Amino acid sequence: MSNIEYMDLKQTAKQAALKAGEELYSRFNKFDRGTVELKSNHEILTQADLASEKKILAEIKDNFPDHRILSEEAGDTEKDSDYLWVVDPLDGTTNFSMHNPLWSVSIGVFYQEQVVLGVIYAPFLNELYIAETGQGAELYSPADSSEGKKLQVSSIDQGKVLNAFCHGTEEKDIKRAVEYHKEQKLNDFDCRQLGSAAIELAFVAAGRIESIVIPGAHPWDVAAGVLLVREAGGKVTDSDGRDWNLESEDMIASNGLVHEQILNTLE
């Protein structure tokens, strides 16, 4: 992959996230929760998800028509390509539906099965996160994305540890997350579910919290955030301590210092 091609990837991912974020922002305040559809007992779908996805997919296909795309709502294009775009057009749909501003757009790009670019945009926080393999992770203001703030995971390892959690839709994953939350809530400083895995991963990278655990993690929820955490000096594995990859069924991301404690708690 050439440097020129890489810059094109970054520009496309950034523009796709910003356009999708603008679309979602325009719908947020007037959104009617009565219009949501149920995908499962624990998942909802809104027209906002679909409108955001349409913006993102159009941007990718216009610039890289031969690339494979895996998106939460549209599924997998299954094209034969070294490149894979992993897209969550609205991460935190339930938050969005209840007018909670913690929602985001998440876009990860893989090259030969390795994540090389991650972009997360949280419109109401006015925060644009970008991570590049070997280049670190940075936080930008969308209005001025020429210079970002370098991200670094926290150095807290005890006492004031803030953990987050999320879960997939299967019953076993929900039960595991509930048990994890109970154990951490009773024995550590705090453990919270913010409702957007991408934002929670970005918060780990930014040193705002120490960890996020997701039994049943979907690739589109975490692909971009995984690279953010790694490039900010953190650690990302599955619940067996193996490096996270697209086939992993769960995910733990942390500042590295609390990782063993989390693995032990999950056991």
Side-chain angles (χ1 to χ4, degrees):
M1 179 171 52
S2 69
N3 288 335
I4 293 175
E5 187 172 22
Y6 188 82
M7 290 302 295
D8 289 342
L9 287 172
K10 181 179 176 182
Q11 183 64 20
T12 297
K14 186 172 76 170
Q15 286 304 311
L18 291 174
K19 288 179 179 179
E22 182 179 5
E23 176 69 28
L24 291 168
Y25 192 93
S26 71
R27 293 169 175 261
F28 179 71
N29 286 323
K30 58 187 178 184
F31 184 79
D32 177 5
R33 193 162 63 88
T35 64
V36 305
E37 299 176 24
L38 284 173
K39 293 197 291 184
S40 71
N41 288 338
H42 305 287
E43 279 188 299
I44 63 174
L45 174 65
T46 73
Q47 290 302 309
D49 292 80
L50 299 177
S52 173
E53 185 174 65
K54 184 177 180 180
K55 294 277 187 182
I56 296 169
L57 299 191
E59 190 74 18
I60 297 170
K61 290 175 181 178
D62 283 349
N63 290 278
F64 299 101
D66 297 328
H67 287 191
R68 180 183 167 196
I69 305 171
L70 171 62
S71 187
E72 179 175 11
E73 310 306 339
D76 191 339
T77 61
E78 298 184 351
K79 288 191 175 183
D80 184 14
S81 173
D82 283 338
Y83 293 92
L84 170 65
W85 295 70
V86 181
V87 175
D88 193 338
L90 174 51
D91 186 59
T93 303
T94 301
N95 282 354
F96 183 94
S97 75
M98 60 190 282
H99 298 120
N100 177 333
L102 288 180
W103 48 269
S104 59
V105 177
S106 177
I107 301 173
V109 183
F110 288 73
Y111 178 68
Q112 297 179 345
E113 300 186 357
Q114 298 297 316
V115 60
V116 297
L117 177 67
V119 175
I120 294 173
Y121 179 36
F124 258 85
L125 301 181
N126 196 37
E127 293 182 339
L128 176 66
Y129 296 85
I130 300 178
E132 307 171 62
T133 298
Q135 301 298 314
E138 294 184 310
L139 171 59
Y140 297 85
S141 166
D144 179 17
S145 57
S146 59
E147 186 173 347
K149 175 187 175 184
K150 207 78 169 175
L151 296 180
Q152 179 68 41
V153 296
S154 81
S155 58
I156 295 173
D157 62 354
Q158 58 184 340
K160 298 178 288 185
V161 174
L162 283 170
N163 299 302
F165 74 101
C166 195
H167 54 73
T169 56
E170 293 188 21
E171 183 177 336
K172 65 180 179 64
D173 298 322
I174 296 171
K175 286 182 175 179
R176 196 174 189 198
V178 169
E179 286 301 314
Y180 172 77
H181 174 251
K182 176 183 175 182
E183 187 70 19
Q184 291 287 45
K185 193 76 173 177
L186 290 173
N187 296 290
D188 215 323
F189 179 59
D190 205 356
C191 188
R192 301 193 173 205
Q193 184 176 15
L194 302 183
S196 170
I199 287 179
E200 288 162 316
L201 282 159
F203 279 13
V204 173
R208 298 174 184 176
I209 61 177
E210 279 61 66
S211 78
I212 167 72
V213 167
I214 309 178
H218 299 298
W220 48 81
D221 292 327
V222 303
V226 163
L227 188 61
L228 276 171
V229 173
R230 286 174 174 168
E231 288 295 319
K235 186 173 184 178
V236 188
T237 70
D238 63 16
S239 60
D240 292 320
R242 298 172 298 213
D243 283 347
W244 181 91
N245 61 60
L246 279 170
E247 304 302 319
S248 298
E249 295 183 358
D250 46 34
M251 191 219 66
I252 303 167
S254 79
N255 64 357
L257 301 175
V258 301
H259 213 84
E260 286 302 315
Q261 185 268 335
I262 291 169
L263 287 171
N264 291 336
T265 301
L266 283 169
E267 289 179 358

